[in-house]
Amino acid sequence: GGRYSIWLEDIAKLFGQQDYSTQRPLHYGGSIADENILKNKEYLNFIKYLSFSDIWMNNFNHKHIRVILSYFWKLRSFPAYAQQLEMESLGKPASASSKYKNTGQVIFGGYGPKAEHSYLQLLHQGTQEICADIIACDKDKNDLEYIKAITQTRLLSKGAEDLEEKEKINGNVPVNLFIVKEGGLERIGQKNIVESLGYFIATWEHRTFITATMLGINPFDQFGVNAGKKYTLARQFIKDSS
């Protein structure tokens, strides 16, 4: 899922940079998450909880689809990154030795406010079995994006009362709510926001890797992708030769 094309834990050393946090804040944030998963038991348990929750939903709770909605403009493209990371890493045949026969979930999503007329209707009243990840930022709790994130989390998970029969929504949708604490990062400005992004991306990658480990599959091969390339090249070669 691009893990090693984005960064390495000691990439700054490769570039001879002395002040890692100042020169490469994205990588620095990722390295903090890397250190946490090695040394911080609370962080590791959090990742294990997320990973096993994904496996449980997919194998025992019939939740084969997960939507990722970002209600934070600066992370509006993150769901597309997470889709590529998870579906390429976890979209593999089940391990013969594993009791889990469903591997990666179908992932889709995008910027939350734009989803209102794209797929929120299906999420609230449709018949598909889904679960959700919602991302928000706590910088301003009066901000409309934040209010929408909290509202949608509650509506998906708890439903709503006092609605007419035709207006009733599903509720009981399993939701993870991630709060990005940008408000606490103002002391040195934009750099720490980027640092936080690095930490967040690396955390999602750890979630994906631990899930793969539990499933007994290799998250780094991509033979399905290679097949399309291989046979496209073969077809082009035959065409050029004829």
Side-chain angles (χ1 to χ4, degrees):
R3 181 67 168 105
Y4 298 105
S5 61
I6 293 179
W7 47 31
L8 295 171
E9 182 177 353
D10 58 350
I11 193 169
K13 297 177 184 177
L14 300 177
F15 285 88
Q17 295 171 356
Q18 299 300 315
D19 191 347
Y20 194 8
S21 62
T22 299
Q23 299 299 320
R24 301 184 78 87
L26 181 77
H27 298 86
Y28 180 67
S31 74
I32 295 173
D34 288 349
E35 184 174 359
N36 280 347
I37 204 166
L38 294 172
K39 301 177 181 179
N40 186 325
K41 187 174 181 180
E42 184 178 359
Y43 177 86
L44 176 60
N45 286 339
F46 168 68
I47 299 297
K48 287 181 176 179
Y49 177 86
L50 283 175
S51 298
F52 192 73
S53 175
D54 293 339
I55 294 171
W56 181 269
M57 292 297 169
N58 199 18
N59 280 270
F60 304 114
N61 216 16
H62 309 294
K63 308 290 186 182
H64 308 308
I65 303 170
R66 176 154 43 91
V67 62
I68 303 175
L69 296 173
S70 174
Y71 285 87
F72 181 30
W73 177 250
K74 292 178 180 178
L75 289 181
R76 63 192 179 278
S77 298
F78 180 81
Y81 174 80
Q83 180 188 57
Q84 181 268 330
L85 168 68
E86 293 197 46
M87 294 181 70
E88 188 168 75
S89 299
L90 304 176
K92 312 291 171 66
S95 171
S97 61
S98 176
K99 62 182 178 181
Y100 307 121
K101 300 309 176 187
N102 294 324
T103 53
Q105 293 171 294
V106 175
I107 305 295
F108 76 102
Y111 180 52
K114 291 186 68 174
E116 291 182 359
H117 295 285
S118 299
Y119 35 79
L120 276 180
Q121 173 63 39
L122 183 145
L123 301 185
H124 283 306
Q125 288 192 313
T127 57
Q128 300 296 327
E129 292 282 351
I130 65 158
C131 50
D133 288 328
I134 291 182
I135 302 163
C137 176
D138 74 343
K139 182 178 180 180
D140 181 1
K141 293 185 178 180
N142 293 315
D143 181 76
L144 187 58
E145 285 182 316
Y146 181 85
I147 293 171
K148 284 185 175 183
I150 302 303
T151 300
Q152 292 299 337
T153 298
R154 290 175 177 169
L155 288 175
L156 287 169
S157 61
K158 298 182 182 299
E161 299 177 353
D162 301 325
L163 293 175
E164 295 182 18
E165 186 63 30
K166 65 181 179 181
E167 297 175 330
K168 287 184 177 180
I169 58 177
N170 297 326
N172 201 31
V173 174
V175 180
N176 295 313
L177 175 63
F178 298 90
I179 304 294
V180 179
K181 294 187 175 297
E182 188 188 37
L185 302 178
E186 294 300 308
R187 57 188 177 86
I188 45 179
Q190 185 69 22
K191 179 186 77 65
N192 255 21
I193 297 171
V194 177
E195 181 182 307
S196 183
L197 173 61
Y199 186 91
F200 189 65
I201 290 174
T203 293
W204 214 279
E205 290 174 335
H206 293 322
R207 173 188 187 176
T208 304
F209 176 76
I210 294 295
T211 300
T213 302
M214 289 180 174
L215 292 171
I217 60 176
N218 181 358
F220 298 109
D221 65 38
Q222 41 186 292
F223 298 116
V225 176
N226 290 344
K229 296 178 180 179
K230 178 180 178 180
Y231 286 98
T232 298
L233 288 172
R235 188 177 183 88
Q236 185 63 40
F237 178 78
I238 293 172
K239 179 181 177 181
D240 292 344
S241 303
S242 60

